[in-house]
């Protein structure tokens, strides 16, 4: 656990008692603060009370609070602030989250280390979980002490106490970067940007602004920026003092990057690192089975750059890439039968992520559908050339199928039927791919449950 420092004796409200909320309450108490907690769910309050925390309606405690710590799923501005947060805003009580507490506390403890630890943060729309897990894997495979936390793995305040030279890798969502009052990573990664969570951020500009805080307010020593979209180009331009400023490492998948600065890019399956106008390393990604497709090659470039920024050699990174198995629900190869591969990419919950999955394989029996997001499905058209047929699931299956651009579609509704029909139709050399391009909440609690169902149906066939 990382005790929260700087709030000894202060009463701190904790709103939301899921993983990050309870973790924050424990870390606050460990650091000498006095947490007062609340969750609208009575069973969550009972669990907290069983650990000795005082549960009380925080709207009635604002005059006592020094700070309000909020879990990431609770809206603080758009579409409307949660009533407790609205009360805090009116009372002038600072609103924060566990990420802010982590950086606040970490910054007060550096004197204890001979070799100061490093913090690498990863944000973006797609690929941040894979990139974060890959950085963690590469560090561990090279013998560096590393912990993975944040939006993946453990809550950030639940990690073990740091040791000399260790590295903390944090995946951060826009919900987390938008609210944290302290953001001071050593290395910050921006993978890419595509429309997502727009209601929560008041539109595309607000969504980008939430991501940008990690770089503009965090001031990382090194910023690794995916420049395949305009927002990434803009962000890299804002952070660099000139073309040769190697505090910014530009990353691309598909485009050769030139200039006197520091670049890492992938083209035709090869990763290249260039610095000061010269190539310094190259890695063949085509045989890295845990990272299929151009979108995963972008993840590999970002992870490579982050590890180079903390001192790993290209050969160490290359060895680690080949032992990376990938993450569940993200281009996860479930199995193969009669020359047909089954791939679970349930995490492809938006159009951009699904498009990248479609572009990773040449002949696809596509299991898709779910709770559609804003913007429609037209942007999928470039990847639909690889689709032999779509098998549509979800409560909106008919409406979803009508929006698919130029694709033969069968309405299946259930995962069981979709997998069975796709497997029956599939020919050797084809891929049965779950890449929903939609949220899961019409039929499943989350994308993991949806992916688990796909895997279960495939395992029946295998």
């Amino acid at each position: 656990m990382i005790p929260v420092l700087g709030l000894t004796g202060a009463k701190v409200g904790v709103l939301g008692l899921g993983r990050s909320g309870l973790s924050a309450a424990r870390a606050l108490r460990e650091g000498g603060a006095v947490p007062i907690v609340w969750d609208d769910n009575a069973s969550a309050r009972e669990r907290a009370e069983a650990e000795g925390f005082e549960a009380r309606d925080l709207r009635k405690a604002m005059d006592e609070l020094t700070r309000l710590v909020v879990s990431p799923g609770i809206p603080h501005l758009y579409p409307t602030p949660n009533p407790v947060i609205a009360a805090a805003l009116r009372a002038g009580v600072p609103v924060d989250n566990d990420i802010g507490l982590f950086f606040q506390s970490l910054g007060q403890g550096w004197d204890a280390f001979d070799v100061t630890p490093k913090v690498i943060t990863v944000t973006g729309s797609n690929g941040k979980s894979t990139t974060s897990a890959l950085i963690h894997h590469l560090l561990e495979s090279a013998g560096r002490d590393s912990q993975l936390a944040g939006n993946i793995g453990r809550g950030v305040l639940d990690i073990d106490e740091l040791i000399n030279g260790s590295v903390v890798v944090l995946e951060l969502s826009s919900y987390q970067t938008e609210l944290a009052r302290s953001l001071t990573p050593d290395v910050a990664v921006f993978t890419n940007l595509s429309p997502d969570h727009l209601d929560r951020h008041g539109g595309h500009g607000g969504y980008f602004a939430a991501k940008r805080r990690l770089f503009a307010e965090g001031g990382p020593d090194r910023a690794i920026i995916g420049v395949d979209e305009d927002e990434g180009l803009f962000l890299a331009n804002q952070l660099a003092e000139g073309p040769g400023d190697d505090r910014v490492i530009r990353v691309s998948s598909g485009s050769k990057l030139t200039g006197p600065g520091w670049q890492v890019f992938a083209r035709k399956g090869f990763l290249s690192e260039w610095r000061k106008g010269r190539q310094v390393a190259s890695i063949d990604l085509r045989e890295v089975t845990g990272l299929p497709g151009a979108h995963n090659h972008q993840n590999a470039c970002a992870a490579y750059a982050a590890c180079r920024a903390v001192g790993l050699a290209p050969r160490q990174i290359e060895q680690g890439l080949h032992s990376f198995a990938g993450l569940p629900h993200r281009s996860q190869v479930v199995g193969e039968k009669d020359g047909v591969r089954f791939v679970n990419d349930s995490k492809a919950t938006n159009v951009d992520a699904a498009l990248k999955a479609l572009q990773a394989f040449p002949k696809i029996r596509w299991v898709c559908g779910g709770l559609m997001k804003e913007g429609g499905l037209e942007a999928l058209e470039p990847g639909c050339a690889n689709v032999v047929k779509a098998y549509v699931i979800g409560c909106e299956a008919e409406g979803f199928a009508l929006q698919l651009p130029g694709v033969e579609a069968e309405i299946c509704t259930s995962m069981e039927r979709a997998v069975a029909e796709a497997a029956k139709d599939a020919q050797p050399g084809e891929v049965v791919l779950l890449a929903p391009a939609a949220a899961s909440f019409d039929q499943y609690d989350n994308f993991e449950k949806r992916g688990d169902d796909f895997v279960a149906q495939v395992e029946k066939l295998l």
Side-chain angles (χ1 to χ4, degrees):
M1 178 183 291
I2 305 296
V4 174
L5 304 180
L7 291 169
T8 302
K11 290 186 178 180
V12 178
V14 178
L15 179 61
L17 296 172
R19 184 190 66 170
S20 66
L22 263 181
S23 168
R26 295 178 188 126
L28 283 160
R29 183 167 62 185
E30 184 73 15
V34 181
I36 302 173
V37 304
W38 184 258
D39 192 297
D40 290 340
N41 186 300
S43 62
R45 297 197 301 271
E46 289 169 5
R47 286 194 297 270
E49 288 175 325
E51 293 191 32
F53 294 110
E54 178 187 2
R56 181 153 44 109
D57 187 341
L58 294 172
R59 289 173 293 183
K60 301 175 182 178
M62 284 300 156
D63 58 346
E64 304 173 46
L65 300 183
T66 299
R67 193 175 303 188
L68 176 66
V69 177
V70 179
S71 294
I74 300 173
H76 55 270
L77 186 56
Y78 302 115
T80 56
N82 176 278
V84 174
I85 298 175
L89 298 177
R90 287 192 296 269
V93 175
V95 180
D96 203 350
N97 61 16
D98 61 332
I99 303 300
L101 296 179
F102 169 78
F103 280 112
Q104 168 189 314
S105 303
L106 207 62
Q108 298 182 47
W110 284 148
D111 292 345
F113 300 103
D114 296 322
V115 181
T116 56
K118 300 286 186 183
V119 179
I120 300 173
T121 56
V122 182
T123 195
S125 296
N126 300 308
K128 57 184 179 291
S129 293
T130 296
T131 300
S132 301
L134 180 55
I135 293 169
H136 173 61
H137 172 81
L138 295 174
L139 290 165
E140 288 204 320
S141 67
R144 292 283 292 271
D145 182 79
S146 174
Q147 298 187 68
L148 179 64
N151 204 44
I152 185 175
R154 289 185 286 177
V156 64
L157 294 169
D158 274 336
I159 65 173
D160 301 330
E161 288 191 31
L162 305 186
I163 62 174
N164 282 324
S166 63
V167 183
V168 179
V169 184
L170 300 181
E171 178 195 336
L172 299 182
S173 71
S174 56
Y175 295 179
Q176 293 168 311
T177 59
E178 186 174 43
L179 199 58
R181 298 180 72 86
S182 179
L183 286 167
T184 53
D186 298 282
V187 179
V189 179
F190 176 87
T191 58
N192 50 58
L193 197 83
S194 60
D196 209 359
H197 310 304
L198 300 189
D199 59 336
R200 174 67 180 264
H201 297 294
H204 196 75
Y207 179 50
F208 176 52
K211 302 285 190 185
R212 182 181 175 277
R213 285 191 77 244
L214 181 61
F215 303 86
E217 300 189 27
D221 295 333
R222 281 253 155 68
I224 296 158
I225 310 296
V227 295
D228 288 334
E229 294 90 25
D230 288 341
E231 290 86 357
L233 282 169
F234 178 78
L235 183 58
N237 183 274
Q238 284 200 314
L239 296 174
E241 292 297 324
D245 186 351
D246 68 1
R247 293 174 302 172
V248 176
I249 307 175
R250 291 170 172 81
V251 167
S252 175
S253 174
S255 298
K256 180 178 180 180
L257 302 179
T258 59
W262 196 347
Q263 286 93 216
V264 180
F265 59 88
R267 289 188 73 207
K268 299 179 180 179
F270 285 86
L271 180 152
S272 297
E273 178 188 3
W274 286 66
R275 199 168 184 183
K276 298 181 179 178
R278 297 176 54 204
Q279 184 171 354
V280 297
S282 178
I283 297 174
D284 186 350
L285 298 175
R286 294 173 298 177
E287 299 303 317
V288 179
T289 56
L291 296 165
H295 61 305
N296 274 313
H297 292 177
Q298 183 189 56
N299 299 334
C301 288
Y304 176 97
C307 291
R308 292 287 283 139
V310 295
L312 264 60
R315 184 61 58 87
Q316 291 176 296
I317 298 172
E318 183 173 9
Q319 290 173 347
L321 286 172
H322 283 283
S323 59
F324 182 65
L327 288 179
H329 315 299
R330 298 160 176 88
S331 298
Q332 174 194 9
V333 178
V334 178
E336 184 171 335
K337 183 178 181 181
D338 300 329
V340 177
R341 271 188 296 167
F342 296 83
V343 178
N344 167 24
D345 204 341
S346 183
K347 185 63 171 65
T349 59
N350 59 46
V351 166
D352 187 65
L355 173 60
K356 289 172 179 174
L358 294 177
Q359 292 174 326
F361 306 100
K363 296 179 180 179
I364 298 169
R365 300 283 173 172
W366 180 25
V367 179
C368 57
L371 193 62
M372 285 191 290
K373 297 185 177 181
E374 293 181 24
L377 304 177
E378 289 183 7
L380 289 168
E381 188 169 0
C384 287
N386 295 340
V387 176
V388 180
K389 184 177 177 180
Y391 303 80
V392 188
I393 64 172
C395 297
E396 301 177 341
E398 291 188 14
F400 193 98
L402 289 172
Q403 291 195 42
L404 291 176
V407 174
E408 179 187 355
E410 181 174 340
I411 308 300
C412 295
T413 307
S414 71
M415 185 71 74
E416 181 179 21
R417 182 180 169 193
V419 172
E421 293 298 319
K424 182 180 70 176
D425 296 344
Q427 302 297 312
E430 294 181 346
V431 172
V432 175
L433 170 69
L434 171 65
S440 59
F441 304 125
D442 59 330
Q443 292 182 305
Y444 303 93
D445 290 341
N446 50 52
F447 73 85
E448 291 96 340
K449 292 284 181 64
R450 177 172 59 191
D452 290 342
D453 191 10
F454 176 81
V455 171
Q457 301 307 324
V458 171
E459 287 179 344
K460 289 180 184 177
L461 301 172
L462 299 182

